[in-house]
mmCIF file of all heavy atoms in Angstrom:
data_model
loop_
_atom_site.group_PDB
_atom_site.id
_atom_site.type_symbol
_atom_site.label_atom_id
_atom_site.label_comp_id
_atom_site.label_asym_id
_atom_site.label_seq_id
_atom_site.Cartn_x
_atom_site.Cartn_y
_atom_site.Cartn_z
ATOM 1 N N VAL A 17 56.897 -36.305 -70.978
ATOM 2 C CA VAL A 17 57.347 -37.695 -70.961
ATOM 3 C C VAL A 17 57.855 -38.135 -69.579
ATOM 4 O O VAL A 17 57.550 -39.250 -69.137
ATOM 5 C CB VAL A 17 58.418 -37.951 -72.044
ATOM 6 C CG1 VAL A 17 59.008 -39.337 -71.923
ATOM 7 C CG2 VAL A 17 57.815 -37.748 -73.434
ATOM 8 N N PRO A 19 57.074 -37.352 -66.385
ATOM 9 C CA PRO A 19 56.053 -37.808 -65.433
ATOM 10 C C PRO A 19 55.377 -39.117 -65.872
ATOM 11 O O PRO A 19 55.042 -39.946 -65.021
ATOM 12 C CB PRO A 19 55.051 -36.662 -65.391
ATOM 13 C CG PRO A 19 55.839 -35.459 -65.777
ATOM 14 C CD PRO A 19 56.831 -35.966 -66.791
ATOM 15 N N GLY A 25 51.353 -40.183 -63.977
ATOM 16 C CA GLY A 25 50.102 -39.886 -64.647
ATOM 17 C C GLY A 25 50.246 -39.035 -65.897
ATOM 18 O O GLY A 25 51.326 -38.638 -66.300
ATOM 19 N N LEU A 31 50.439 -31.884 -72.441
ATOM 20 C CA LEU A 31 50.392 -32.404 -73.809
ATOM 21 C C LEU A 31 50.087 -31.287 -74.799
ATOM 22 O O LEU A 31 50.730 -31.177 -75.830
ATOM 23 C CB LEU A 31 49.343 -33.520 -73.917
ATOM 24 C CG LEU A 31 49.037 -34.024 -75.329
ATOM 25 C CD1 LEU A 31 50.274 -34.649 -75.963
ATOM 26 C CD2 LEU A 31 47.879 -35.017 -75.288
ATOM 27 N N LEU A 32 49.126 -30.447 -74.471
ATOM 28 C CA LEU A 32 48.783 -29.336 -75.355
ATOM 29 C C LEU A 32 49.953 -28.373 -75.507
ATOM 30 O O LEU A 32 50.212 -27.859 -76.603
ATOM 31 C CB LEU A 32 47.545 -28.606 -74.835
ATOM 32 C CG LEU A 32 46.246 -29.418 -74.860
ATOM 33 C CD1 LEU A 32 45.117 -28.621 -74.208
ATOM 34 C CD2 LEU A 32 45.877 -29.835 -76.268
ATOM 35 N N GLU A 37 54.530 -26.270 -78.871
ATOM 36 C CA GLU A 37 55.960 -26.106 -79.147
ATOM 37 C C GLU A 37 56.347 -26.789 -80.452
ATOM 38 O O GLU A 37 57.164 -26.247 -81.215
ATOM 39 C CB GLU A 37 56.810 -26.630 -77.981
ATOM 40 C CG GLU A 37 56.720 -25.799 -76.741
ATOM 41 C CD GLU A 37 57.076 -24.331 -76.939
ATOM 42 O OE1 GLU A 37 57.969 -24.004 -77.748
ATOM 43 O OE2 GLU A 37 56.435 -23.483 -76.278
ATOM 44 N N LEU A 57 66.398 -35.157 -83.182
ATOM 45 C CA LEU A 57 66.498 -36.287 -82.253
ATOM 46 C C LEU A 57 65.335 -36.271 -81.248
ATOM 47 O O LEU A 57 64.753 -37.321 -80.964
ATOM 48 C CB LEU A 57 67.832 -36.254 -81.516
ATOM 49 C CG LEU A 57 69.053 -36.554 -82.368
ATOM 50 C CD1 LEU A 57 70.335 -36.284 -81.583
ATOM 51 C CD2 LEU A 57 69.029 -37.979 -82.869
ATOM 52 N N ARG A 78 46.100 -46.295 -70.391
ATOM 53 C CA ARG A 78 47.039 -46.727 -71.428
ATOM 54 C C ARG A 78 46.567 -46.251 -72.797
ATOM 55 O O ARG A 78 47.358 -45.729 -73.587
ATOM 56 C CB ARG A 78 47.193 -48.239 -71.429
ATOM 57 C CG ARG A 78 48.158 -48.724 -72.527
ATOM 58 C CD ARG A 78 48.291 -50.218 -72.563
ATOM 59 N NE ARG A 78 48.848 -50.693 -71.316
ATOM 60 C CZ ARG A 78 48.752 -51.939 -70.890
ATOM 61 N NH1 ARG A 78 48.122 -52.852 -71.619
ATOM 62 N NH2 ARG A 78 49.291 -52.300 -69.751
ATOM 63 N N GLN A 82 48.437 -43.771 -75.466
ATOM 64 C CA GLN A 82 48.707 -44.184 -76.840
ATOM 65 C C GLN A 82 48.086 -43.206 -77.833
ATOM 66 O O GLN A 82 48.700 -42.871 -78.852
ATOM 67 C CB GLN A 82 48.193 -45.606 -77.073
ATOM 68 C CG GLN A 82 49.026 -46.651 -76.357
ATOM 69 C CD GLN A 82 48.419 -48.038 -76.403
ATOM 70 O OE1 GLN A 82 47.202 -48.207 -76.410
ATOM 71 N NE2 GLN A 82 49.287 -49.047 -76.416
ATOM 72 N N VAL A 88 50.811 -36.609 -81.021
ATOM 73 C CA VAL A 88 52.144 -35.998 -81.085
ATOM 74 C C VAL A 88 52.816 -36.365 -82.408
ATOM 75 O O VAL A 88 53.420 -35.516 -83.069
ATOM 76 C CB VAL A 88 52.997 -36.419 -79.873
ATOM 77 C CG1 VAL A 88 54.466 -36.084 -80.076
ATOM 78 C CG2 VAL A 88 52.472 -35.774 -78.604
ATOM 79 N N ALA A 95 54.434 -30.611 -88.711
ATOM 80 C CA ALA A 95 55.449 -29.572 -88.520
ATOM 81 C C ALA A 95 56.594 -29.718 -89.509
ATOM 82 O O ALA A 95 57.182 -28.726 -89.927
ATOM 83 C CB ALA A 95 55.974 -29.614 -87.088
#
Side-chain angles (χ1 to χ4, degrees):
V17 173
L31 172 62
L32 294 175
E37 290 304 325
L57 291 171
R78 179 182 297 160
Q82 289 171 328
V88 166

